[in-house]
Amino acid sequence: MKDDKAGKKPRYNLWQNTGYMIGMAWRYQKSVLWIGLAMAAAAAGQNVAELLIAPMVLEKIEKGAPLSQLLLVIALFTGLLFLLMGLNAYLDTNNLWGRIFVRTKIIGEINLKRDTTSYPNTLDADYQNAYQKSKDATGGNNRATEAIWTTLTALLTNLMGFAAYLVMLSGLSVWAAVLVTLTAVAGYLVNKRINSWGYRHREEGERYDKRITYLEKIALSRGYAKDIRIFGLGGWISDLWQDTMRLLRAFLLKRERVYIWANIVDLALTFLRSGAAYAYLIWLALNHGLSTSQFLLYFAAIGGFTQWVTGILSQLSTLHQQCLDISAVREYLEWPEPFKFADGKPLPRGEVKQCELTLEDVSYRYPEAQKDTLSHINLTLHPGEKLAIVGLNGAGKTTLVKLLCGFLDPTSGRVLLNGQDIRQYNRDDYYALFSAVFQDFSVMEDSAAVNVAQRVNGIDVPRVWRCLEQAGLKEKIESLPKGLDTPIGRLIFEDGVELSGGQTQRLMLARALYKDAPILALDEPTAALDPIAERDIYEKYNDMTAGKSSLFISHRLASTRFCNRIIYLADGRIAEEGTHEALLKKNGGYAELFHVQSKYYQEEA
């Protein structure tokens, strides 16, 4: 089984992926299997009954049977068809929820993998591509992880019908069955080759679809509304839309011109098969006394037998494509984790109070990068110490914090917690040692209280208010219509409020304080604040970090005065280290940068 799009063979084949889905259904919703089996039997039985009713009635008429027998046959077949059609409809309706349930279980596993995977995986383009494939395979009722049940049911139906019709045709001629099978297979193979043109060129079609989807998103997004109006982008977006639609129409027209040949071939093979069947049955009727009812039965059976053969081949082809997607899901779920989690050494949560973090000859290089972002860093954060990390853009400040927080492992060297390599520990336990405010916010569409406490139940309300006060957001939250219960954001709640950038930053700081971990990491926590609000945060910094170790990244060097120690990064190394006053006396890179900033502020004043 070859994955044309990825250019490599998938890890699991058709039978393994089918077995995997059957196993998932057996584990979570056995009714999917039993109902699917019953649906196949009912559908095949209905088709056979529809085939037999006319020949059986005609046979009774030919034999001169009494009217009562004729009516009885009609009544029995009508009742049987009514029962089978009703059963099939009932099963189909009740099977939907079980199929959705199995798919949502798979979605849950994908989301769990996404939310808990090792941080380096989130930087890996191959991992992101694998995630997108698994998301696509579970994105709706017609996607592989749910549609496979329809395919398996149809395949089983076709196999049952094939067996029943083969028994009927065996009474006519083996060669008739062989002829029908050969023409059906030939027609299927030709049609598959012609119709696969769209699959072979799907990347071109997907490219146009993605472009149209992107343009729709841009045109309808509130975030782009100001730019569209200020810069007059409406006409430009419209032109791009029209160009893309023109290319898509040309692609679809080209595809349909190819597909028409499939219809021509199918028509020719149908004419050959039906003509041969008619000729043979007429010969039997003229020379061997084949009755009209038998003629009707066999001719209908030949046409139906063709459909069963084609159906089996078609469903196997569909199953093959669906299993490619299911294999992609499984490969994503089994994506290797560079960090240890449940298999790592536990760190008893709440028991590790004094944390000494050490970078021992640490270097780090991002994947595909030409050089190290950090090179041979030796640094220790002592328990209770307030450490500031400063430097120009690209100096490696955020990368350094990510290494200390355990989001990244060094390319070389070690990160130590109280003298022990952190790679041996359960990484989730290690993360519990940190509270953090990063440059990228993760505000949830929920109440202010939930955003601070990061939980729905068991919220310590007095603690929430205390943290909001420390972060300078208490008065704002008190002024909201529902106080702590006011929803943040308007995507879900009509009565939600949208905070400014500075207020959101304060909310994130309150969240970090609520966690009350022994190490506080702040990556530009005041970037969105005005100078007065920033000074207010600095004045409260000692109170916020009492008894904690803290990491503080800032471009504004005046904010580093309250830290015990400052390291100045340049070219991926620690260029200078000391207190604010000591670094100014060195008159190096830190002092130069500080004087540039102070001169700017003096000129502004």
Side-chain angles (χ1 to χ4, degrees), residues 56-228:
M56 291 290 288
V57 171
L58 187 57
E59 182 183 16
K60 292 295 182 183
I61 295 174
E62 288 177 334
K63 293 181 177 180
L67 180 61
S68 58
Q69 289 186 14
L70 185 62
L71 294 176
L72 179 61
V73 169
I74 294 174
L76 289 174
F77 271 101
T78 302
L80 178 61
L81 287 172
F82 180 80
L83 177 64
L84 290 173
M85 291 172 64
L87 177 62
N88 208 16
Y90 173 81
L91 293 173
D92 184 53
T93 301
N94 286 276
N95 199 36
L96 177 63
W97 308 114
R99 296 177 177 186
I100 293 175
F101 187 79
V102 174
R103 177 169 60 87
T104 54
K105 283 294 183 181
I106 297 174
I107 292 174
E109 292 185 4
I110 292 172
N111 289 339
L112 181 63
K113 175 74 172 182
R114 174 74 173 179
D115 293 342
T116 61
T117 192
S118 303
Y119 185 81
N121 282 343
T122 67
L123 308 177
D124 187 341
D126 290 336
Y127 171 87
Q128 297 291 354
N129 186 46
Y131 166 71
Q132 189 59 49
K133 285 183 178 181
S134 67
K135 185 179 177 182
D136 291 342
T138 55
N141 302 106
N142 62 339
R143 300 299 185 180
T145 47
E146 184 176 332
I148 189 174
W149 303 117
T150 300
T151 303
L152 289 174
T153 301
L155 178 60
L156 190 56
T157 301
N158 281 282
L159 288 171
M160 291 179 176
F162 174 83
Y165 277 49
L166 185 62
V167 170
M168 283 186 278
L169 287 178
S170 63
L172 177 64
S173 170
V174 174
W175 294 109
V178 171
L179 174 65
V180 172
T181 302
L182 289 177
T183 54
V185 171
Y188 169 79
L189 294 176
V190 172
N191 279 295
K192 180 183 177 183
R193 178 61 185 173
I194 294 175
N195 289 327
S196 65
W197 185 93
Y199 183 77
R200 296 194 304 273
H201 295 80
R202 68 194 181 283
E203 290 188 11
E204 181 180 354
E206 288 173 358
R207 185 164 63 248
Y208 299 140
D209 288 338
K210 288 179 180 178
R211 198 176 298 174
I212 290 171
T213 301
Y214 172 74
L215 290 171
E216 282 183 345
K217 179 181 177 182
I218 294 296
L220 299 177
S221 173
R222 187 175 64 177
Y224 292 94
K226 295 188 294 293
D227 292 304
I228 291 174

Side-chain angles (χ1 to χ4, degrees), residues 440-458:
D440 298 325
F441 303 142
S442 55
V443 181
M444 300 292 291
E445 292 277 331
D446 211 318
S447 70
V450 169
N451 269 284
V452 173
Q454 289 293 282
R455 63 179 65 191
V456 176
N457 300 313

Side-chain angles (χ1 to χ4, degrees), residues 363-384:
S363 297
Y364 184 79
R365 179 178 298 186
Y366 284 96
E368 309 301 329
Q370 299 299 315
K371 65 176 184 177
D372 291 340
T373 300
L374 293 173
S375 181
H376 301 288
I377 301 292
N378 288 284
L379 174 68
T380 298
L381 174 66
H382 302 288

Side-chain angles (χ1 to χ4, degrees), residues 118-345:
S118 303
Y119 185 81
N121 282 343
T122 67
L123 308 177
D124 187 341
D126 290 336
Y127 171 87
Q128 297 291 354
N129 186 46
Y131 166 71
Q132 189 59 49
K133 285 183 178 181
S134 67
K135 185 179 177 182
D136 291 342
T138 55
N141 302 106
N142 62 339
R143 300 299 185 180
T145 47
E146 184 176 332
I148 189 174
W149 303 117
T150 300
T151 303
L152 289 174
T153 301
L155 178 60
L156 190 56
T157 301
N158 281 282
L159 288 171
M160 291 179 176
F162 174 83
Y165 277 49
L166 185 62
V167 170
M168 283 186 278
L169 287 178
S170 63
L172 177 64
S173 170
V174 174
W175 294 109
V178 171
L179 174 65
V180 172
T181 302
L182 289 177
T183 54
V185 171
Y188 169 79
L189 294 176
V190 172
N191 279 295
K192 180 183 177 183
R193 178 61 185 173
I194 294 175
N195 289 327
S196 65
W197 185 93
Y199 183 77
R200 296 194 304 273
H201 295 80
R202 68 194 181 283
E203 290 188 11
E204 181 180 354
E206 288 173 358
R207 185 164 63 248
Y208 299 140
D209 288 338
K210 288 179 180 178
R211 198 176 298 174
I212 290 171
T213 301
Y214 172 74
L215 290 171
E216 282 183 345
K217 179 181 177 182
I218 294 296
L220 299 177
S221 173
R222 187 175 64 177
Y224 292 94
K226 295 188 294 293
D227 292 304
I228 291 174
R229 285 155 177 77
I230 289 294
F231 294 101
L233 301 180
W236 179 54
I237 294 174
S238 178
D239 289 343
L240 289 174
W241 171 276
Q242 294 296 335
D243 289 344
T244 305
M245 288 299 296
R246 177 176 52 78
L247 292 172
L248 179 59
R249 282 194 295 268
F251 170 77
L252 295 176
L253 180 61
K254 185 178 179 181
R255 186 188 68 183
E256 295 307 313
R257 286 172 178 169
V258 172
Y259 284 176
I260 195 172
W261 285 104
N263 296 327
I264 294 173
V265 171
D266 187 58
L267 180 63
L269 289 173
T270 300
F271 180 78
L272 173 64
R273 181 173 55 249
S274 299
Y278 262 127
Y280 181 63
L281 291 175
I282 291 172
W283 179 80
L284 288 176
L286 295 176
N287 297 281
H288 296 276
L290 185 70
S291 66
T292 305
S293 59
Q294 290 177 316
F295 183 97
L296 178 62
L297 174 64
Y298 288 135
F299 185 76
I302 288 173
F305 190 73
T306 302
Q307 294 177 355
W308 296 129
V309 174
T310 305
I312 291 171
L313 296 173
S314 178
Q315 297 305 325
L316 283 173
S317 177
T318 302
L319 184 62
H320 167 85
Q321 297 301 330
Q322 290 170 342
C323 284
L324 290 177
D325 291 336
I326 293 169
S327 183
V329 170
R330 298 178 67 185
E331 289 170 24
Y332 172 74
L333 293 175
E334 295 167 10
W335 196 274
E337 295 290 345
F339 295 166
K340 291 183 177 180
F341 291 99
D343 57 337
K345 183 178 178 181

Side-chain angles (χ1 to χ4, degrees), residues 352-370:
V352 181
K353 298 294 185 182
Q354 297 297 312
C355 300
E356 181 180 85
L357 295 179
T358 302
L359 297 181
E360 187 181 81
D361 194 31
V362 165
S363 297
Y364 184 79
R365 179 178 298 186
Y366 284 96
E368 309 301 329
Q370 299 299 315

